[in-house]
Amino acid sequence: MGDNCKKYGVPFYGVSFVPQNALKSSDDTDPKEQHQGSGNGSQYVIFSGGGGEGRSGIPNALVVSRFDSASNSLSDEPVEKHGTGDDLPYRMAVHPGGEGVICSLSKSCRWYEWNVTENEGIKCLSLKQSEKVLERLEDVGQQLAVTFSHDGSLLAVGGEDGTLRVFKWPNMELVLDAPKAHTSVKNLDFSPDGKFLVSVGSGLGRVWDISSSLAKTSLPKENDEIFGYCRFSQDSKNDQILYVTAIRDRGGSIVKWNTTNWKRISSKYVVRDSISAFNVSNDGKLLAIGTNEGDVLILNSSSMKVHTTIKKAHLGLVTSLAFSSDSRALASVSLDASARVTLIKETTKNAGVNIWVILLILLLAAALYYAKTEGYLI
């Protein structure tokens, strides 16, 4: 196990990079000030998980660690290990504005805030349970999906009972309430412009119009497909597109959808194992999948070809993936209690074309040399 992979004693279900502005304390006066999570190549990563209810001896906790890109290493010990008692933080969503973290527990959702302290000029990050109680998410049962819109103004949650809810944040005004969105909601994601929400679960995928609070269309399955994860993104022309992972008898595929007419663009078979985690980089150029065998694959979104493969990145199935804000690192976690951050190497553009150009130059040079030696050139 390398320095970029650590075990913190907690089976993990969720991971996210911490927004850099989370470290801005209330007494900061210089907006250009750089905190210790950015200027020196280090940043914070938060993990969620645990052993659940009972007396397994495995804690339930939110774990914060520091990743240093210069040395490609996670901190040996967590910066923060915030216990959640008997409640397993099964799903987690970090607010993009750096306000805090919402966690889905067994029956309710709980809000945590960042706590910034300073010691000898160095800012340190920890968590504290907020005094803000999410009353609308008390005693609603297990939520299997929790996500914020890109600008942080909307919160969507999807329940084990199939209920989908969307709220304005932070006042928690109910925007959409769909009690029978699915038999059970598996995954949710907002479009970059915040106009649509996609949900997948049992049966068809569904796209919701936020302004009308109604289902806009359904995403039909083909053959024996089972949808697993969904993510909106943008292509090279800044047009919105939608990715949905699908499992079939031969393995996992990624389906691409047009977000104007909601028709399939393509379906690409990518791995023979089941896809257990999925995410898209912020710049839209990369896709990441985790498998039930512990492998992590990074793909180019344009060509859908594999960019990087990390075989046995984890010993157990991969439960969650998260790209850094600059799309240069990928965090992954597993039920084997391991956390990993993988630096993403840039591929040389048009490498194949460059090889052919080099070969052509060599052939021309050889031809000129032959012509000169045979007297064809004076």
Side-chain angles (χ1 to χ4, degrees):
M1 184 178 295
D3 290 339
N4 66 328
C5 187
K6 303 292 182 182
K7 285 198 173 185
Y8 296 124
V10 177
F12 289 126
Y13 292 91
V15 61
S16 179
F17 282 89
V18 178
Q20 292 186 359
N21 52 4
L23 272 171
K24 182 177 176 60
S25 59
S26 59
D27 58 350
D28 283 339
T29 56
D30 185 0
K32 297 181 181 180
E33 179 181 351
Q34 295 295 316
H35 58 66
Q36 186 181 347
S38 60
N40 62 358
S42 68
Q43 51 194 314
Y44 288 95
V45 192
I46 181 170
F47 314 98
S48 65
E53 297 180 9
R55 299 181 179 179
S56 65
I58 302 174
N60 298 305
L62 295 169
V63 177
V64 181
S65 180
R66 184 183 286 118
F67 175 73
D68 182 69
S69 58
S71 60
N72 189 23
S73 63
L74 279 165
S75 53
D76 291 332
E77 298 295 330
V79 174
E80 163 86 344
K81 197 169 187 177
H82 187 96
T84 57
D86 291 334
D87 288 317
L88 169 67
Y90 182 58
R91 291 289 182 260
M92 169 186 72
V94 173
H95 190 275
E99 295 180 14
V101 183
I102 185 171
C103 288
S104 163
L105 308 176
S106 59
K107 297 179 181 178
S108 305
C109 290
R110 188 178 298 166
W111 176 244
Y112 295 87
E113 297 173 349
W114 301 113
N115 183 40
V116 181
T117 57
E118 191 166 337
N119 183 19
E120 297 181 354
I122 298 177
K123 291 182 180 179
C124 300
L125 189 68
S126 59
L127 283 168
K128 61 181 179 181
Q129 185 174 334
S130 175
E131 296 179 359
K132 176 185 177 69
V133 178
L134 306 177
E135 295 181 358
R136 287 184 174 270
L137 293 176
E138 287 287 301
D139 299 317
V140 293
Q142 178 73 71
Q143 301 301 295
L144 301 182
V146 184
T147 188
F148 284 103
S149 60
H150 289 237
D151 64 0
S153 65
L154 296 170
L155 168 69
V157 298
E160 191 174 32
D161 62 356
T163 301
L164 170 64
R165 298 176 178 90
V166 178
F167 303 91
K168 289 184 179 179
W169 184 265
N171 62 17
M172 295 299 289
E173 176 187 342
L174 188 62
V175 175
L176 188 154
D177 186 12
K180 297 181 180 180
H182 302 274
T183 304
S184 181
V185 180
K186 292 181 181 178
N187 205 229
L188 300 168
D189 196 43
F190 283 100
S191 60
D193 59 13
K195 294 181 179 179
F196 302 107
L197 175 76
V198 61
S199 64
V200 295
S202 52
L204 306 177
R206 305 185 77 177
V207 178
W208 306 82
D209 186 303
I210 300 300
S211 61
S212 66
S213 301
L214 297 172
K216 183 175 182 63
T217 190
S218 295
L219 305 174
K221 300 186 295 181
E222 291 185 357
N223 303 318
D224 58 345
E225 288 178 335
I226 300 175
F227 291 156
Y229 299 90
C230 52
R231 287 292 183 274
F232 280 101
S233 186
Q234 291 180 317
D235 60 18
S236 58
K237 299 179 181 178
N238 291 325
D239 293 328
Q240 291 186 165
I241 53 177
L242 172 63
Y243 298 101
V244 178
T245 67
I247 304 298
R248 300 182 62 179
D249 56 356
R250 64 173 183 161
S253 302
I254 298 176
V255 184
K256 186 185 295 187
W257 304 79
N258 183 300
T259 59
T260 301
N261 57 21
W262 303 106
K263 302 294 185 183
R264 286 184 181 226
I265 298 174
S266 63
S267 179
K268 173 69 174 180
Y269 169 75
V270 292
V271 65
R272 65 180 181 181
D273 300 317
S274 295
I275 297 175
S276 59
F278 178 68
N279 217 326
V280 181
S281 63
N282 288 340
D283 60 13
K285 296 180 180 180
L286 299 171
L287 312 178
I289 63 172
T291 74
N292 59 349
E293 296 297 319
D295 300 336
V296 171
L297 288 80
I298 302 171
L299 298 88
N300 292 306
S301 61
S302 57
S303 65
M304 299 298 282
K305 293 183 178 179
V306 176
H307 175 288
T308 304
T309 300
I310 306 106
K311 295 290 291 183
K312 297 299 179 182
H314 303 272
L315 297 180
L317 68 86
V318 180
T319 49
S320 186
L321 297 163
F323 282 95
S324 59
S325 59
D326 60 8
S327 304
R328 295 179 181 177
L330 175 71
S332 57
V333 292
S334 170
L335 290 182
D336 69 358
S338 65
R340 173 187 288 268
V341 178
T342 301
L343 291 176
I344 300 171
K345 298 179 181 179
E346 294 185 14
T347 55
T348 304
K349 294 183 179 180
N350 300 322
V353 175
N354 291 337
I355 292 173
W356 286 111
V357 170
I358 293 171
L359 289 174
L360 179 61
I361 292 173
L362 291 174
L363 288 172
L364 287 173
L368 287 171
Y369 177 79
Y370 176 79
K372 184 176 181 180
T373 57
E374 293 297 322
Y376 295 116
L377 293 178
I378 299 175

